[in-house]
Amino acid sequence: MHILAVIFWALNLLFALLSYLYPIPVFPACLVFFVWILIGFGTAGWNEHTELNAPKWAGRAAKISTAYTGINFFVCMFLLREGGPGIQDGIYCIENHGDFIREINYEAYMNLMRVESRFFYGHLLVFTAGVMEKHLGICNLKI
């Protein structure tokens, strides 16, 4: 299970980094990551000392992931303050809760799609790092 935890965190990190270049679809991955986080935390247990036994690199990765998530959250919220990208009647636009806000060009649309991807994958990074740290701590527990 600890190998899966590292793989999911690395995959999440890869998606977060790639979202700076490409808009990565959110929906298919959201189900997989959410299920993994629920299973991962559920099987890791909630021993408060577990992460103390994790390798130092996992602890650092979790701290960096937490800091990145916080900064990324506020940056993306600022960039998406008017609304998210959408297409209504074949027109690229900013929409907020389905309401047309204003028309934008294709370049702006793609930029907002990347921001949405970055927002999602960056937000999940703290959770996948937490699962990873918990599971690596369980592996290194000395009983």
Side-chain angles (χ1 to χ4, degrees):
M1 197 69 146
H2 61 284
I3 300 294
L4 272 177
V6 174
I7 289 170
F8 270 95
W9 175 77
L11 193 60
N12 189 182
L13 179 62
L14 177 67
F15 284 179
L17 293 174
L18 283 176
S19 67
Y20 281 91
L21 303 172
Y22 311 103
I24 300 173
V26 170
F27 181 70
C30 76
L31 296 176
V32 174
F33 279 112
F34 285 144
V35 168
W36 166 249
I37 289 166
L38 291 174
I39 291 171
F41 274 127
T43 58
W46 292 100
N47 182 344
E48 61 189 49
H49 302 292
T50 304
E51 59 272 343
L52 298 175
N53 295 311
K56 290 187 190 292
W57 69 265
R60 287 187 199 113
K63 288 176 182 148
I64 291 168
S65 295
T66 302
Y68 174 80
T69 298
I71 293 166
N72 184 62
F73 175 81
F74 289 108
V75 169
C76 289
M77 285 298 290
F78 176 76
L79 294 173
L80 295 170
R81 66 191 176 278
E82 289 183 77
I87 301 174
Q88 291 188 9
D89 298 324
I91 299 171
Y92 296 111
C93 65
I94 293 177
E95 58 184 15
N96 195 344
H97 301 286
D99 294 333
F100 184 93
I101 303 299
R102 66 181 170 90
E103 185 177 345
I104 57 175
N105 62 19
Y106 178 75
E107 203 172 295
Y109 171 80
M110 291 305 289
N111 187 40
L112 288 174
M113 290 292 290
R114 286 190 296 272
V115 171
E116 262 189 358
S117 295
R118 195 165 48 248
F119 183 64
F120 176 76
Y121 291 110
H123 204 75
L124 284 182
L125 201 57
V126 69
F127 298 108
T128 56
V131 170
M132 178 185 67
E133 188 179 21
K134 283 280 194 191
H135 277 281
L136 291 176
I138 289 171
C139 292
N140 291 335
L141 275 176
K142 296 184 174 55
I143 299 174

mmCIF file of all heavy atoms in Angstrom, residues 35-59:
data_model
loop_
_atom_site.group_PDB
_atom_site.id
_atom_site.type_symbol
_atom_site.label_atom_id
_atom_site.label_comp_id
_atom_site.label_asym_id
_atom_site.label_seq_id
_atom_site.Cartn_x
_atom_site.Cartn_y
_atom_site.Cartn_z
ATOM 1 N N VAL A 35 -11.294 8.692 -4.345
ATOM 2 C CA VAL A 35 -11.415 7.331 -3.807
ATOM 3 C C VAL A 35 -10.102 6.916 -3.157
ATOM 4 O O VAL A 35 -10.095 6.346 -2.062
ATOM 5 C CB VAL A 35 -11.844 6.341 -4.917
ATOM 6 C CG1 VAL A 35 -11.692 4.905 -4.464
ATOM 7 C CG2 VAL A 35 -13.278 6.620 -5.339
ATOM 8 N N TRP A 36 -8.974 7.231 -3.810
ATOM 9 C CA TRP A 36 -7.675 6.872 -3.233
ATOM 10 C C TRP A 36 -7.468 7.564 -1.888
ATOM 11 O O TRP A 36 -6.978 6.957 -0.936
ATOM 12 C CB TRP A 36 -6.530 7.210 -4.169
ATOM 13 C CG TRP A 36 -5.214 7.147 -3.433
ATOM 14 C CD1 TRP A 36 -4.401 8.167 -3.107
ATOM 15 C CD2 TRP A 36 -4.620 5.977 -2.872
ATOM 16 N NE1 TRP A 36 -3.326 7.723 -2.385
ATOM 17 C CE2 TRP A 36 -3.448 6.374 -2.221
ATOM 18 C CE3 TRP A 36 -4.980 4.628 -2.840
ATOM 19 C CZ2 TRP A 36 -2.607 5.476 -1.558
ATOM 20 C CZ3 TRP A 36 -4.144 3.743 -2.177
ATOM 21 C CH2 TRP A 36 -2.976 4.163 -1.553
ATOM 22 N N ILE A 37 -7.795 8.826 -1.796
ATOM 23 C CA ILE A 37 -7.592 9.565 -0.543
ATOM 24 C C ILE A 37 -8.442 8.955 0.568
ATOM 25 O O ILE A 37 -7.963 8.761 1.691
ATOM 26 C CB ILE A 37 -7.890 11.063 -0.756
ATOM 27 C CG1 ILE A 37 -6.797 11.693 -1.614
ATOM 28 C CG2 ILE A 37 -8.016 11.790 0.571
ATOM 29 C CD1 ILE A 37 -7.135 13.060 -2.164
ATOM 30 N N LEU A 38 -9.688 8.626 0.267
ATOM 31 C CA LEU A 38 -10.551 8.005 1.278
ATOM 32 C C LEU A 38 -10.013 6.642 1.709
ATOM 33 O O LEU A 38 -9.939 6.343 2.906
ATOM 34 C CB LEU A 38 -11.978 7.872 0.747
ATOM 35 C CG LEU A 38 -12.743 9.178 0.552
ATOM 36 C CD1 LEU A 38 -14.088 8.911 -0.123
ATOM 37 C CD2 LEU A 38 -12.946 9.887 1.880
ATOM 38 N N ILE A 39 -9.635 5.830 0.742
ATOM 39 C CA ILE A 39 -9.076 4.517 1.069
ATOM 40 C C ILE A 39 -7.741 4.672 1.789
ATOM 41 O O ILE A 39 -7.475 3.994 2.780
ATOM 42 C CB ILE A 39 -8.893 3.668 -0.210
ATOM 43 C CG1 ILE A 39 -10.255 3.274 -0.769
ATOM 44 C CG2 ILE A 39 -8.040 2.430 0.063
ATOM 45 C CD1 ILE A 39 -10.193 2.636 -2.137
ATOM 46 N N GLY A 40 -6.909 5.570 1.284
ATOM 47 C CA GLY A 40 -5.583 5.766 1.865
ATOM 48 C C GLY A 40 -5.623 6.205 3.310
ATOM 49 O O GLY A 40 -4.939 5.632 4.166
ATOM 50 N N PHE A 41 -6.429 7.199 3.626
ATOM 51 C CA PHE A 41 -6.525 7.639 5.012
ATOM 52 C C PHE A 41 -7.244 6.600 5.863
ATOM 53 O O PHE A 41 -6.918 6.409 7.030
ATOM 54 C CB PHE A 41 -7.240 8.990 5.125
ATOM 55 C CG PHE A 41 -6.318 10.162 4.956
ATOM 56 C CD1 PHE A 41 -6.599 11.148 4.031
ATOM 57 C CD2 PHE A 41 -5.170 10.295 5.718
ATOM 58 C CE1 PHE A 41 -5.757 12.239 3.865
ATOM 59 C CE2 PHE A 41 -4.325 11.377 5.565
ATOM 60 C CZ PHE A 41 -4.615 12.350 4.635
ATOM 61 N N GLY A 42 -8.219 5.919 5.275
ATOM 62 C CA GLY A 42 -8.955 4.901 6.020
ATOM 63 C C GLY A 42 -8.086 3.728 6.418
ATOM 64 O O GLY A 42 -8.200 3.205 7.524
ATOM 65 N N THR A 43 -7.192 3.307 5.529
ATOM 66 C CA THR A 43 -6.341 2.162 5.839
ATOM 67 C C THR A 43 -5.091 2.557 6.608
ATOM 68 O O THR A 43 -4.453 1.701 7.212
ATOM 69 C CB THR A 43 -5.916 1.427 4.544
ATOM 70 O OG1 THR A 43 -5.230 2.344 3.697
ATOM 71 C CG2 THR A 43 -7.113 0.836 3.840
ATOM 72 N N ALA A 44 -4.738 3.824 6.606
ATOM 73 C CA ALA A 44 -3.522 4.256 7.303
ATOM 74 C C ALA A 44 -3.735 4.338 8.804
ATOM 75 O O ALA A 44 -2.804 4.200 9.576
ATOM 76 C CB ALA A 44 -3.051 5.610 6.773
ATOM 77 N N GLY A 45 -4.955 4.569 9.229
ATOM 78 C CA GLY A 45 -5.186 4.756 10.656
ATOM 79 C C GLY A 45 -4.855 6.179 11.059
ATOM 80 O O GLY A 45 -4.241 6.928 10.310
ATOM 81 N N TRP A 46 -5.236 6.544 12.256
ATOM 82 C CA TRP A 46 -5.064 7.925 12.694
ATOM 83 C C TRP A 46 -4.115 8.053 13.869
ATOM 84 O O TRP A 46 -4.259 8.912 14.705
ATOM 85 C CB TRP A 46 -6.421 8.535 13.041
ATOM 86 C CG TRP A 46 -7.246 8.709 11.823
ATOM 87 C CD1 TRP A 46 -8.255 7.907 11.384
ATOM 88 C CD2 TRP A 46 -7.111 9.731 10.845
ATOM 89 N NE1 TRP A 46 -8.755 8.356 10.206
ATOM 90 C CE2 TRP A 46 -8.090 9.483 9.846
ATOM 91 C CE3 TRP A 46 -6.278 10.826 10.696
ATOM 92 C CZ2 TRP A 46 -8.239 10.288 8.736
ATOM 93 C CZ3 TRP A 46 -6.431 11.623 9.588
ATOM 94 C CH2 TRP A 46 -7.404 11.363 8.623
ATOM 95 N N ASN A 47 -3.125 7.189 13.944
ATOM 96 C CA ASN A 47 -2.129 7.286 14.996
ATOM 97 C C ASN A 47 -1.356 8.595 14.820
ATOM 98 O O ASN A 47 -0.778 8.843 13.772
ATOM 99 C CB ASN A 47 -1.188 6.081 14.919
ATOM 100 C CG ASN A 47 -0.155 6.082 16.015
ATOM 101 O OD1 ASN A 47 0.087 7.088 16.675
ATOM 102 N ND2 ASN A 47 0.464 4.941 16.203
ATOM 103 N N GLU A 48 -1.335 9.404 15.847
ATOM 104 C CA GLU A 48 -0.702 10.724 15.711
ATOM 105 C C GLU A 48 0.813 10.649 15.546
ATOM 106 O O GLU A 48 1.450 11.605 15.123
ATOM 107 C CB GLU A 48 -1.048 11.604 16.908
ATOM 108 C CG GLU A 48 -0.559 11.031 18.231
ATOM 109 C CD GLU A 48 -1.088 11.785 19.428
ATOM 110 O OE1 GLU A 48 -2.295 12.011 19.478
ATOM 111 O OE2 GLU A 48 -0.271 12.141 20.297
ATOM 112 N N HIS A 49 1.407 9.517 15.872
ATOM 113 C CA HIS A 49 2.861 9.389 15.766
ATOM 114 C C HIS A 49 3.310 8.702 14.483
ATOM 115 O O HIS A 49 4.501 8.556 14.257
ATOM 116 C CB HIS A 49 3.406 8.622 16.977
ATOM 117 C CG HIS A 49 3.053 9.272 18.274
ATOM 118 N ND1 HIS A 49 3.572 10.491 18.652
ATOM 119 C CD2 HIS A 49 2.206 8.897 19.249
ATOM 120 C CE1 HIS A 49 3.060 10.838 19.827
ATOM 121 N NE2 HIS A 49 2.235 9.889 20.209
ATOM 122 N N THR A 50 2.370 8.292 13.670
ATOM 123 C CA THR A 50 2.712 7.541 12.458
ATOM 124 C C THR A 50 3.626 8.336 11.537
ATOM 125 O O THR A 50 4.643 7.819 11.074
ATOM 126 C CB THR A 50 1.433 7.143 11.696
ATOM 127 O OG1 THR A 50 0.591 6.422 12.577
ATOM 128 C CG2 THR A 50 1.754 6.291 10.506
ATOM 129 N N GLU A 51 3.288 9.595 11.275
ATOM 130 C CA GLU A 51 4.104 10.360 10.326
ATOM 131 C C GLU A 51 5.494 10.672 10.873
ATOM 132 O O GLU A 51 6.403 10.987 10.119
ATOM 133 C CB GLU A 51 3.402 11.638 9.864
ATOM 134 C CG GLU A 51 3.022 12.603 10.922
ATOM 135 C CD GLU A 51 1.644 12.343 11.514
ATOM 136 O OE1 GLU A 51 0.839 11.622 10.933
ATOM 137 O OE2 GLU A 51 1.398 12.873 12.595
ATOM 138 N N LEU A 52 5.682 10.561 12.186
ATOM 139 C CA LEU A 52 7.019 10.764 12.748
ATOM 140 C C LEU A 52 7.981 9.665 12.317
ATOM 141 O O LEU A 52 9.189 9.859 12.308
ATOM 142 C CB LEU A 52 6.950 10.828 14.277
ATOM 143 C CG LEU A 52 6.127 11.978 14.862
ATOM 144 C CD1 LEU A 52 6.041 11.843 16.372
ATOM 145 C CD2 LEU A 52 6.726 13.314 14.473
ATOM 146 N N ASN A 53 7.448 8.513 11.967
ATOM 147 C CA ASN A 53 8.273 7.388 11.545
ATOM 148 C C ASN A 53 8.504 7.363 10.034
ATOM 149 O O ASN A 53 9.198 6.489 9.536
ATOM 150 C CB ASN A 53 7.626 6.074 11.989
ATOM 151 C CG ASN A 53 7.590 5.973 13.491
ATOM 152 O OD1 ASN A 53 8.592 6.194 14.158
ATOM 153 N ND2 ASN A 53 6.432 5.669 14.028
ATOM 154 N N ALA A 54 7.893 8.277 9.322
ATOM 155 C CA ALA A 54 8.065 8.335 7.864
ATOM 156 C C ALA A 54 9.471 8.858 7.545
ATOM 157 O O ALA A 54 10.082 9.571 8.344
ATOM 158 C CB ALA A 54 7.021 9.254 7.250
ATOM 159 N N PRO A 55 9.998 8.503 6.375
ATOM 160 C CA PRO A 55 11.305 9.040 5.975
ATOM 161 C C PRO A 55 11.270 10.578 5.922
ATOM 162 O O PRO A 55 10.226 11.171 5.665
ATOM 163 C CB PRO A 55 11.510 8.463 4.570
ATOM 164 C CG PRO A 55 10.561 7.329 4.451
ATOM 165 C CD PRO A 55 9.428 7.606 5.376
ATOM 166 N N LYS A 56 12.411 11.179 6.155
ATOM 167 C CA LYS A 56 12.487 12.648 6.181
ATOM 168 C C LYS A 56 12.025 13.259 4.861
ATOM 169 O O LYS A 56 11.388 14.301 4.855
ATOM 170 C CB LYS A 56 13.907 13.100 6.515
ATOM 171 C CG LYS A 56 14.304 12.829 7.948
ATOM 172 C CD LYS A 56 15.645 13.458 8.245
ATOM 173 C CE LYS A 56 16.205 13.028 9.561
ATOM 174 N NZ LYS A 56 15.529 13.464 10.728
ATOM 175 N N TRP A 57 12.353 12.623 3.738
ATOM 176 C CA TRP A 57 11.962 13.179 2.440
ATOM 177 C C TRP A 57 10.437 13.225 2.310
ATOM 178 O O TRP A 57 9.904 14.149 1.695
ATOM 179 C CB TRP A 57 12.593 12.411 1.284
ATOM 180 C CG TRP A 57 12.072 11.018 1.077
ATOM 181 C CD1 TRP A 57 12.616 9.867 1.563
ATOM 182 C CD2 TRP A 57 10.914 10.640 0.347
ATOM 183 N NE1 TRP A 57 11.858 8.792 1.190
ATOM 184 C CE2 TRP A 57 10.803 9.233 0.432
ATOM 185 C CE3 TRP A 57 9.946 11.338 -0.368
ATOM 186 C CZ2 TRP A 57 9.776 8.521 -0.165
ATOM 187 C CZ3 TRP A 57 8.915 10.628 -0.972
ATOM 188 C CH2 TRP A 57 8.838 9.234 -0.864
ATOM 189 N N ALA A 58 9.746 12.248 2.892
ATOM 190 C CA ALA A 58 8.281 12.238 2.817
ATOM 191 C C ALA A 58 7.701 13.384 3.652
ATOM 192 O O ALA A 58 6.737 14.035 3.238
ATOM 193 C CB ALA A 58 7.724 10.900 3.284
ATOM 194 N N GLY A 59 8.307 13.638 4.799
ATOM 195 C CA GLY A 59 7.863 14.760 5.623
ATOM 196 C C GLY A 59 8.091 16.093 4.929
ATOM 197 O O GLY A 59 7.233 16.976 4.952
#
